Amino acid sequence: METSYIISVVIILALIIYSIKIDKEYQRSVVFRLGRFHKVKGPGLYFIIPFVDQRNKIDMRTMTVDIESQETVTKDSVTIRVNAVLYFKIHEPEKAVIEVRDFLNATYQASLTALRNVIGQHNLDEILKDREGINSAIKKIVDQITDKWGLSVDYIEMKDVEIPQTMQRAMAKEAEAIREKRSRIIKAEGEYDASLKLKEAAQYIAENPAALELRRMQMISEVGTEQNTTTIILMPSDFVTMAKSIGEGLNIKTNKNEQSNS
C-alpha cells in the first residue's frame, strides 16, 4: 500500500508539473482541447489539462521576411532584378495557426507575387523615382492577403534594383544629353539677355553722346592698370558726327545731279 501511494503521489506531481506552462511577454499559446480550439493563453503562468490540451506557441514580435532577388519585367519591357524586405507581426494567433499551415512561407509567397505584379504595372522610370509609391502598393496587396491569417504588415521596402548594363549606358547618355540641352538653353538665354542690354545701352548712348566719351575714358583707365604695350588711338565722337553729316550731304548732292540729268 505504501508503495502504491508513493507511486500515485509521484504521478500526480508529474501531471501537475506537466500542466504548468509559462510563456514570455512576447509569446502566446493557442490551446486546443480534444482537437478543438479552446483559447489563447499567455503571457505568464497558466495551466493546461495534461493529455487533453495541446498548445502551439506563437511569437508575437515583428518578423522579417527577406524576399530574395527576383528577375521581373517592367511595363515598358525592361528586365530588372529586384529584392525587398517585409516586416510583419501576428495580431491574432489563433488565425495564424488555424487558417494557414505555414504562415511564414505563405507570407513570403504572397509578398513575392505582389512584388512581381506591382513591378509589371509600372515603367522603369516610375520604379526608380517613386519607390515609396511602389512600396505602398505592395504593402496594400500583401496586407489584404495576410489579414485573414491574423497577420498585419508593418512595412515593406525594395532594397535594390539591378538594371542591365545596356540600359545603364542608355540612361547615362540620356542624362548627359539632358544636361547638355539645359546648358545650351541657359547659354542662349544669357546671350539673349546680353543683346537686350546692349540694345538699351546703344539707345542710351545715341541719346546721350557724352556717355560714349565717359565710356572711352573708363576703358583707358582699365587698360592703364594693366602692364601691356597696347596703344590706343581715340577719335572724338564729333569726328564721327561730322563724317556722318558730310556723307549725308554728298548723298543729297548726288541725288540732285541725277535728277537734273534725267
Side-chain angles (χ1 to χ4, degrees):
M1 291 293 294
E2 185 175 353
T3 303
S4 60
Y5 175 77
I6 294 174
I7 293 174
S8 300
V9 171
V10 171
I11 293 174
I12 293 172
L13 289 175
L15 291 176
I16 293 174
I17 294 172
Y18 180 78
S19 65
I20 297 174
K21 302 297 181 183
I22 299 176
D23 285 341
K24 296 179 181 178
E25 183 66 30
Y26 55 84
Q27 293 176 332
R28 301 292 186 274
S29 289
V30 180
V31 178
F32 294 88
R33 179 162 293 174
L34 296 177
R36 297 182 64 87
F37 171 70
H38 177 56
K39 65 168 54 177
V40 177
K41 293 190 176 183
L45 177 67
Y46 59 91
F47 296 89
I48 63 172
I49 302 175
F51 307 111
V52 176
D53 292 342
Q54 295 179 339
R55 66 172 187 154
N56 291 73
K57 190 178 292 187
I58 298 297
D59 194 324
M60 301 293 291
R61 293 175 293 183
T62 299
M63 300 183 186
T64 304
V65 175
D66 191 10
I67 304 173
E68 62 184 11
S69 182
Q70 298 293 320
E71 191 173 87
T72 183
V73 181
T74 62
K75 186 178 180 180
D76 50 351
S77 302
V78 179
T79 302
I80 61 175
R81 296 186 66 87
V82 183
N83 61 352
V85 59
L86 171 70
Y87 301 91
F88 73 97
K89 67 183 349 180
I90 299 172
H91 60 86
E92 293 183 85
E94 64 276 15
K95 287 186 178 181
V97 174
I98 298 172
E99 298 295 336
V100 61
R101 180 176 182 179
D102 185 352
F103 64 86
L104 190 61
N105 183 58
T107 303
Y108 173 80
Q109 296 298 331
S111 304
L112 184 61
T113 303
L115 177 64
R116 288 179 174 175
N117 290 340
V118 173
I119 293 297
Q121 297 173 3
H122 292 79
N123 295 327
L124 179 61
D125 291 341
E126 296 174 347
I127 296 171
L128 297 177
K129 295 178 181 178
D130 188 21
R131 288 200 179 190
E132 290 296 330
I134 302 296
N135 295 337
S136 299
I138 299 173
K139 176 182 180 299
K140 184 178 180 181
I141 295 174
V142 178
D143 212 8
Q144 290 176 348
I145 297 174
T146 59
D147 183 65
K148 60 184 178 182
W149 301 335
L151 312 178
S152 61
V153 178
D154 292 337
Y155 189 67
I156 186 168
E157 181 179 6
M158 291 188 299
K159 294 193 297 183
D160 189 23
V161 179
E162 297 181 13
I163 305 173
Q165 293 292 332
T166 54
M167 182 59 63
Q168 291 182 18
R169 288 192 292 268
M171 293 174 66
K173 291 180 180 179
E174 180 183 2
E176 184 179 355
I178 292 174
R179 290 191 180 93
E180 185 177 355
K181 174 185 175 182
R182 190 181 306 162
S183 66
R184 290 186 177 182
I185 291 174
I186 293 173
K187 183 178 179 181
E189 290 176 349
E191 292 178 354
Y192 175 74
D193 294 340
S195 65
L196 293 179
K197 294 298 181 181
L198 289 173
K199 179 182 177 182
E200 294 176 3
Q203 292 175 351
Y204 182 79
I205 291 174
E207 296 173 358
N208 302 276
L212 181 60
E213 299 297 333
L214 294 175
R215 177 58 184 153
R216 288 175 178 176
M217 294 175 64
Q218 183 181 5
M219 183 177 64
I220 293 173
S221 63
E222 291 177 354
V223 173
T225 58
E226 300 178 0
Q227 295 180 358
N228 52 41
T229 58
T230 303
T231 302
I232 299 177
I233 300 176
L234 296 178
M235 180 180 292
S237 59
D238 294 339
F239 287 177
V240 178
T241 304
M242 182 178 65
K244 183 177 180 182
S245 300
I246 293 172
E248 291 177 353
L250 291 175
N251 289 332
I252 293 172
K253 185 176 180 180
T254 303
N255 293 331
K256 288 181 179 180
N257 292 332
E258 290 177 355
Q259 291 176 0
S260 62
N261 292 331
S262 61

